[in-house]
Amino acid sequence: MASVARLEQRSFNAWPAVRTAVMDGWLLRSSGGYTKRANSANAVQAGTLLDEGLLQAIEAWYARQQLPAIFRLSPLADAQCDALLAARGYALVEPSRFLLRHGTPADCQLPAVPVEPRCTPAWLAGYAQASGLAAQQQPWHQRIVDGIGGQCGYATVEQGGRSVAWGLAVLERGDAGLYDVVVAPECRRQGLGRQLVCGLLQWAAAQGAQQVDLQVRGGNQVAEQLYASLGFVPVYGYHYRVQR
């Protein structure tokens, strides 16, 4: 569980929430509803428990943010937590996996991808359009990105003189995590995702990272196959319980 706790902590730091609170082993994260990852309660230590009183306090905290209570249940949460939330009518959604890759990307010999140390308006706009972000979500996305404290690499793949893929790598205590990986919908299934991820892996290796992690939603077979082919292996799974 020690390695799970470390990976979870790295993820919290690399993808920070706009508002946070800590309640009895749970880290509460809130960012205007943009992504469940940044708007959920997360166990921070092995065997974290949940009882009726604590559940009500967490629900009240999210209600003050005008958000439903969402729990992201990793292996750090005791199995009793999932049972309690299920009994209270919380819906199980988005089973996902935390993936990890060891070593340097010697197998990534695709064309170089430009990686910038700072986020630009063009990067934000391109990612937003390719991801289909609604106008009200875009300021929250920018606030999350602006809040990242670690060293960052913002990658953009170009094709025919225009930007077609975007991704972000964040260095955290000597390792790196990948976030915001997206290819423009009309340009998918052309190998651009592989080129993008390889570019980010190369950047991470140049910064001295020995491990790279990412999180992928279950059922996304295209992404899972790509990451497996690049040496990423599942470390653990998690899922969300959403208040109804």
Side-chain angles (χ1 to χ4, degrees):
M1 285 296 185
S3 61
V4 174
R6 180 180 174 84
L7 290 171
E8 289 286 286
Q9 290 170 15
R10 278 172 43 194
S11 176
F12 300 150
N13 292 337
W15 192 250
V18 175
R19 300 188 186 99
T20 61
V22 178
M23 292 187 187
D24 293 344
W26 292 93
L27 173 63
L28 280 52
R29 291 157 51 87
S30 168
S31 302
Y34 175 66
T35 76
K36 292 182 180 63
R37 191 184 305 179
N39 291 274
S40 54
N42 296 259
V44 296
Q45 59 193 26
T48 297
L49 296 171
L50 184 66
D51 59 26
E52 292 283 357
L54 181 55
L55 175 58
Q56 291 176 10
I58 292 173
E59 289 177 340
W61 189 86
Y62 278 104
R64 286 191 291 273
Q65 320 304 314
Q66 299 183 327
L67 295 171
I70 300 175
F71 287 78
R72 178 178 169 277
L73 298 176
S74 76
L76 298 179
D78 188 89
Q80 166 267 345
C81 301
D82 192 58
L84 173 60
L85 293 168
R88 294 298 173 268
Y90 277 66
L92 190 158
V93 300
E94 296 183 18
S96 303
R97 297 199 293 177
F98 203 111
L99 309 181
L100 191 63
R101 186 190 196 279
H102 297 274
T104 56
D107 53 333
C108 287
Q109 302 299 326
L110 295 172
V113 173
V115 181
E116 301 294 333
R118 286 174 292 277
C119 187
T120 65
W123 191 95
L124 280 171
Y127 174 82
Q129 183 175 6
S131 301
L133 290 190
Q136 65 268 26
Q137 294 178 315
Q138 293 176 30
W140 289 100
H141 176 236
Q142 182 168 359
R143 291 180 71 178
I144 291 173
V145 171
D146 288 346
I148 299 173
Q151 182 181 354
C152 295
Y154 294 87
T156 305
V157 176
E158 295 189 352
Q159 183 184 65
R162 71 185 186 101
S163 300
V164 294
W166 300 262
L168 165 63
V170 182
L171 202 66
E172 167 69 21
R173 287 184 287 175
D175 295 315
L178 304 188
Y179 301 86
D180 277 358
V181 174
V182 66
V183 176
E186 70 275 13
C187 299
R188 291 171 186 170
R189 299 184 183 276
Q190 299 179 26
L192 297 171
R194 177 177 296 274
Q195 184 179 350
L196 174 65
V197 175
C198 282
L200 291 169
L201 290 175
Q202 290 166 349
W203 177 87
Q207 315 313 310
Q210 294 299 308
Q211 292 185 153
V212 179
D213 61 68
L214 58 84
Q215 299 170 53
V216 61
R217 185 185 303 181
N220 188 343
Q221 295 182 351
V222 173
E224 290 182 345
Q225 290 172 1
L226 169 62
Y227 297 138
S229 72
L230 290 172
F232 285 91
V233 297
V235 181
Y236 58 89
Y238 63 88
H239 62 271
Y240 295 94
R241 285 283 184 179
V242 180
Q243 186 181 30
R244 292 190 287 195

